[in-house]
Amino acid sequence: MQHGKGMKFVGDSRIKATRKPNVPKDYSEYPGKTEAFWPNFLLKEWMVGAIFLTGYLIITLAHPSPLERQADPTDTTYIPLPDWYFLFMYQLLKYEFASGPFNVIGAIIVPGLAVGALMLVPFMDTSKERRPWKRPLPTGFMLLAFAAIFYLTWESVANHDWEKAAAQGAIVEEVEFDETAPGYEIYTGSSCIGCHGDQFQGGLGLPLTDTGLKPEEIEKIAHEGIGTMPPDQWDGSDEDLKTMAEFISNLGKE
């Protein structure tokens, strides 16, 4: 049964007798406002992507990644450092209220509260207002988070011993030596190995390969210390120290 021009009564609804497919107008009807996806739009995207990729490759070749020596799980003197975007959390774990027995506060509770607050902002601020000064709650959260992240990151960078970290992570060329030599046996039985490593790669102390020092100079350093190494670290006999100093002095020499 028909009611009205071009309409059919179907149940409780009225629909058009004839339906045309909903095809958008051709882009040529909007000159200067749109363009064909293929190949016009994709060609521009590919060109921009190729330029940025080339730039990244040039930067990668000009400034290689600052790789460190191979990780050694037995080296308890090495101080790891996270990437820059996690330095604020790294700094948080240095404070007494968030470290040691209270480590769960700095590692779980504080980050959890921050993430939870961020997730609740859309529900606490339902206003359609876009001006920051008209939205005090999300604006205040944003400024507080930015100030905290900036301050903690700055503190972490300022208080980290970058020279010591570079020395700890420096890639040291491995040298071959006789592990049955008397000098090495004396070395492994002394406290020196705890700071300089079992392969003389360094750690808390500097690497001992190819030092360019004479045996007499090494003996003097063992008694008097040097740099951050305190004096009177050698507690063995002078004869053993001389044997070990001669062995270390020849490390790395052909």
Side-chain angles (χ1 to χ4, degrees):
M1 181 177 180
Q2 291 190 348
H3 295 275
K5 185 179 179 180
M7 305 297 292
K8 288 183 179 180
F9 184 77
V10 181
D12 294 332
S13 303
R14 289 185 299 174
I15 60 174
K16 291 185 178 181
T18 58
R19 302 185 66 179
K20 297 180 180 180
N22 186 19
V23 179
K25 295 181 180 180
D26 188 81
Y27 74 93
S28 60
E29 297 186 20
Y30 304 92
K33 295 184 179 180
T34 184
E35 59 182 342
F37 182 76
W38 171 269
N40 302 28
F41 180 77
L42 280 183
L43 182 60
K44 293 180 181 179
E45 292 289 308
W46 288 343
M47 290 178 63
V48 173
I51 293 173
F52 274 92
L53 180 60
T54 304
Y56 291 145
L57 290 175
I58 292 175
I59 294 175
T60 302
L61 294 174
H63 301 282
S65 300
L67 299 178
E68 296 186 351
R69 61 183 171 87
Q70 187 175 359
D72 182 7
T74 63
D75 184 6
T76 58
T77 63
Y78 179 78
I79 302 176
L81 187 70
D83 291 321
W84 65 269
Y85 42 83
F86 285 130
L87 283 177
F88 68 97
M89 296 185 66
Y90 174 72
Q91 178 64 23
L92 182 64
L93 296 175
K94 295 180 181 179
Y95 298 121
E96 292 184 4
F97 68 88
S99 60
F102 309 106
N103 190 41
V104 66
I105 296 177
I108 298 177
I109 295 179
V110 173
L113 291 174
V115 174
L118 183 63
M119 296 176 64
L120 290 175
V121 166
F123 301 97
M124 293 187 294
D125 180 63
T126 58
S127 172
K128 295 182 180 180
E129 182 63 54
R130 308 307 301 168
R131 287 172 290 186
W133 54 89
K134 294 289 186 178
R135 305 173 63 198
L137 194 61
T139 302
F141 272 125
M142 181 196 68
L143 294 177
L144 179 62
F146 178 80
I149 292 174
F150 179 84
Y151 173 76
L152 291 174
T153 302
W154 177 81
E155 278 285 304
S156 180
V157 173
N159 295 324
H160 187 71
D161 192 341
W162 295 98
E163 294 183 359
K164 184 178 180 180
Q168 286 183 334
I171 299 177
V172 180
E173 185 178 355
E174 295 184 0
V175 296
E176 296 182 358
F177 56 88
D178 184 8
E179 296 186 2
T180 61
Y184 184 72
E185 293 179 355
I186 296 172
Y187 174 80
T188 55
S190 68
S191 60
C192 305
I193 191 173
C195 297
H196 300 282
D198 59 344
Q199 300 293 318
F200 307 98
Q201 73 275 12
L204 188 61
L206 297 175
L208 296 181
T209 57
D210 197 14
T211 60
L213 298 175
K214 297 179 180 180
E216 296 79 12
E217 295 173 320
I218 296 176
E219 293 179 45
K220 182 178 179 181
I221 292 174
H223 287 300
E224 301 179 2
I226 186 173
T228 58
M229 177 181 172
D232 301 325
Q233 292 298 297
W234 178 255
D235 55 1
S237 65
D238 292 339
E239 183 179 353
D240 287 347
L241 177 59
K242 183 177 180 180
T243 303
M244 185 182 72
E246 292 178 353
F247 176 79
I248 295 175
S249 178
N250 293 322
L251 284 173
K253 294 182 179 179
E254 295 183 358

